[in-house]
Amino acid sequence: MSPEATIKRQFGHRARLSLSPAAVLRADGQAHAARTMWNLLHAWWQMMPKEKRTLAHADAAIRQARQDIDFLAVLPAQAAQAVLKTYFAAWKSCWEGRADAPKFKGRLRAVMSVDIPQGRDLNITRVHRRWGMVNIPMVGRVRFRWTRDLPVAKHANRENRITGARLTKDALGWHIAFRVQTLETAPEPHQGPEVGIDVGITVPIALSDGETYEHGAWLTGKEQAQLLHLEQRAAQRRQSRKPGEPISRRLHRTYDRIAGLRAKAKRRALDWQHRTTTSIARTYGTVVVEALTITNMVKSAGGTVDEPGKNVAQKSGLNRSISGEAWGRTVTMLTYKTAQLGGTLHKVPAPGTSRRCSACGVTTPGNRESQAVFVCKNPDCGWSGNADHNAACNVLHLYRMGLALIPAAGRAVVRRAKRVKPATAR
């Protein structure tokens, strides 16, 4: 196999772990120790003068802390080094303006996680069709849900291997996220058609060829009623709690049940997004989407004390709906799935795509009479149709006109493609 015909691919794969009660306690202990190590590093950073905030001094500090504090010994040494590297990387991201400064991690709000930086410690084997086995340092051999092919220990090599993993705990239990590196055959260029995509709330995904992808509620009626009951119970128990009184175990259990239902809804939403984006990437060779600035779209309308906002409750509901559809995650999935299958994804400017008539090309205020119906106000046109389909056609039109956005110096720049003039007949 020639080097030109292969491509190195790095991706992550998340799987559910099946831990015994004793293993759960050991994993919880490691996660709490990792969080404590982060907080100790944060306190050390604030106390040290600027010239002593180096990786070598921090490494010496955590080694001494592991000797002085007994319960930190449950955290493997390599996992402690991973906490150190992650903390320094967080400061680097802050200095470059890509993130906020690192903060103290609270016990209840922080995500419980442990990093396994070396893949050779995992020793992955497949038991049968549904389960595999992985070795977790200082926890033991653990079963995990086998949902895709992974490089097992006896077949792993420099090109196809597990480079590391990360344990995370959510409301549904402990999971492991593998970091996988493979050498695969470069995909052939996708010969599928071009398609424009418009994302929305009523219709989550609408295509320029008239196809739509919709979904129902992520929770059943019974689960929604149960969630409402638990939220009301939690509110009542919060009101009955005296000021300064710690949260009771009953309230903690109620919070856990609420988190479990919300995690179940998120898992179903992820499954729908994966299935939908995979279907689109397999069908179309060129996918065009809008370059939306979602963070600006979900800003609060509360305003200030001097200038209060209008329709704050309605805007809050719209923000929740936009965040619930996770448009950015859909685009991210389409980006790597189209590349994996030989296709391409392009972004075009978003302004005006929902108000322009795809039939005559005229943008007139008031064209979109409702959320679902588009009626062109141009007296020479008068076209009417589905508003989402019209917007998707406009997205594809912008790409065919050569208006594509390319990232340059951290911002989007319009690129006009060179078009070849047709030869005139002589």
Side-chain angles (χ1 to χ4, degrees):
M1 188 178 294
S2 61
E4 293 78 15
T6 60
I7 184 172
K8 183 180 290 186
R9 180 167 169 252
Q10 295 180 346
F11 62 94
H13 174 62
R14 191 169 183 260
R16 177 166 54 91
L17 290 173
S18 178
L19 297 177
S20 64
V24 169
L25 290 177
R26 289 194 290 269
D28 290 348
Q30 289 190 17
H32 288 306
R35 179 185 58 82
T36 304
M37 184 68 70
W38 174 282
N39 292 335
L40 291 175
L41 275 172
H42 190 56
W44 173 88
W45 181 277
Q46 294 176 330
M47 291 188 298
M48 286 293 104
K50 188 174 182 180
E51 62 274 7
K52 290 190 176 182
R53 295 174 180 174
T54 62
L55 192 63
H57 286 88
D59 180 62
I62 66 171
R63 289 177 184 272
Q64 186 63 38
R66 285 173 58 83
Q67 295 179 3
D68 296 341
I69 304 175
D70 295 337
F71 74 89
L72 292 181
V74 301
L75 184 67
Q78 295 173 355
Q81 292 294 323
V83 174
L84 173 62
K85 293 179 180 179
T86 304
Y87 184 79
F88 271 72
W91 274 114
K92 184 178 179 181
S93 299
C94 174
W95 295 331
E96 294 175 354
R98 295 183 284 110
D100 295 332
K103 298 180 181 179
F104 179 87
K105 289 188 176 182
R107 182 181 180 89
L108 299 178
R109 292 184 177 272
V111 177
M112 297 182 66
S113 62
V114 181
D115 196 75
I116 306 175
Q118 295 185 358
R120 64 172 181 265
D121 297 334
L122 298 173
N123 192 20
I124 296 175
T125 57
R126 186 170 186 177
V127 179
H128 51 75
R129 184 173 64 90
R130 291 181 177 271
W131 295 95
M133 294 288 289
V134 60
N135 182 59
I136 300 177
M138 301 184 71
V139 174
R141 297 289 291 173
V142 178
R143 292 197 308 167
F144 68 93
R145 195 80 165 92
W146 190 280
T147 55
R148 69 169 301 160
D149 290 335
L150 297 172
V152 295
K154 62 180 181 180
H155 297 305
N157 50 45
R158 188 174 183 84
E159 289 79 17
N160 299 279
R161 59 194 176 97
I162 304 291
T163 59
R166 189 173 186 84
L167 305 178
T168 56
K169 186 179 183 181
D170 59 13
L172 300 177
W174 278 99
H175 296 75
I176 184 168
F178 297 104
R179 295 187 286 269
V180 188
Q181 176 181 305
T182 59
L183 191 65
E184 301 177 354
T185 303
E188 296 290 335
H190 201 300
Q191 301 301 324
E194 301 174 341
V195 68
I197 295 181
D198 175 69
V199 293
I201 297 173
T202 305
V203 179
I205 296 178
L207 307 186
S208 57
D209 59 2
E211 184 73 20
T212 59
Y213 293 90
E214 302 181 36
H215 60 78
W218 301 125
L219 296 177
T220 64
K222 184 178 180 180
E223 290 170 341
Q224 291 179 0
Q226 184 182 7
L227 178 61
L228 178 61
H229 173 70
L230 291 172
E231 290 176 342
Q232 291 174 347
R233 180 189 297 179
Q236 292 172 357
R237 289 176 176 172
R238 281 197 304 268
Q239 291 177 356
S240 61
R241 187 165 58 93
K242 298 178 181 179
E245 184 180 356
I247 299 177
S248 64
R249 292 185 179 181
R250 283 185 177 182
L251 186 54
H252 272 303
R253 285 195 294 267
T254 304
Y255 285 151
D256 291 342
R257 294 179 64 184
I258 292 173
L261 287 172
R262 290 177 177 172
K264 185 181 293 186
K266 182 179 179 180
R267 182 177 60 180
R268 291 171 181 171
L270 276 171
D271 179 72
W272 180 85
Q273 280 186 310
H274 274 294
R275 293 176 183 272
T276 303
T277 52
T278 299
S279 176
I280 294 173
R282 287 175 177 173
T283 306
Y284 303 97
T286 301
V287 180
V288 188
V289 298
E290 297 174 292
L292 299 174
T293 309
I294 302 176
T295 54
N296 294 337
M297 297 175 65
V298 297
K299 284 186 177 179
S300 174
T304 61
V305 177
D306 299 330
E307 298 181 0
K310 299 180 180 179
N311 300 325
V312 178
Q314 292 86 338
K315 185 61 169 63
S316 299
L318 177 63
N319 292 348
R320 285 193 299 269
S321 300
I322 294 175
S323 300
E325 291 300 331
W327 295 339
R329 191 167 60 202
T330 299
V331 174
T332 300
M333 290 181 181
L334 283 172
T335 302
Y336 74 80
K337 289 182 180 182
T338 51
Q340 184 180 355
L341 297 174
T344 56
L345 183 136
H346 301 274
K347 294 183 179 181
V348 295
T353 55
S354 62
R355 293 181 298 169
R356 176 184 179 275
C357 177
S358 60
C360 65
V362 175
T363 302
T364 306
N367 273 354
R368 193 161 183 171
E369 291 191 346
S370 66
Q371 185 68 24
V373 179
F374 181 93
V375 178
C376 182
K377 300 299 182 181
N378 182 10
D380 298 332
C381 178
W383 179 85
S384 63
N386 183 270
D388 299 303
H389 170 66
N390 176 76
C393 291
N394 289 330
V395 170
L396 182 60
H397 171 76
L398 291 176
Y399 168 73
R400 289 175 174 174
M401 291 296 294
L403 297 175
L405 298 178
I406 56 175
R411 57 191 177 90
V413 177
V414 177
R415 175 187 63 192
R416 289 188 176 272
K418 296 182 179 178
R419 304 187 67 86
V420 179
K421 295 183 179 179
T424 57
R426 294 183 179 181

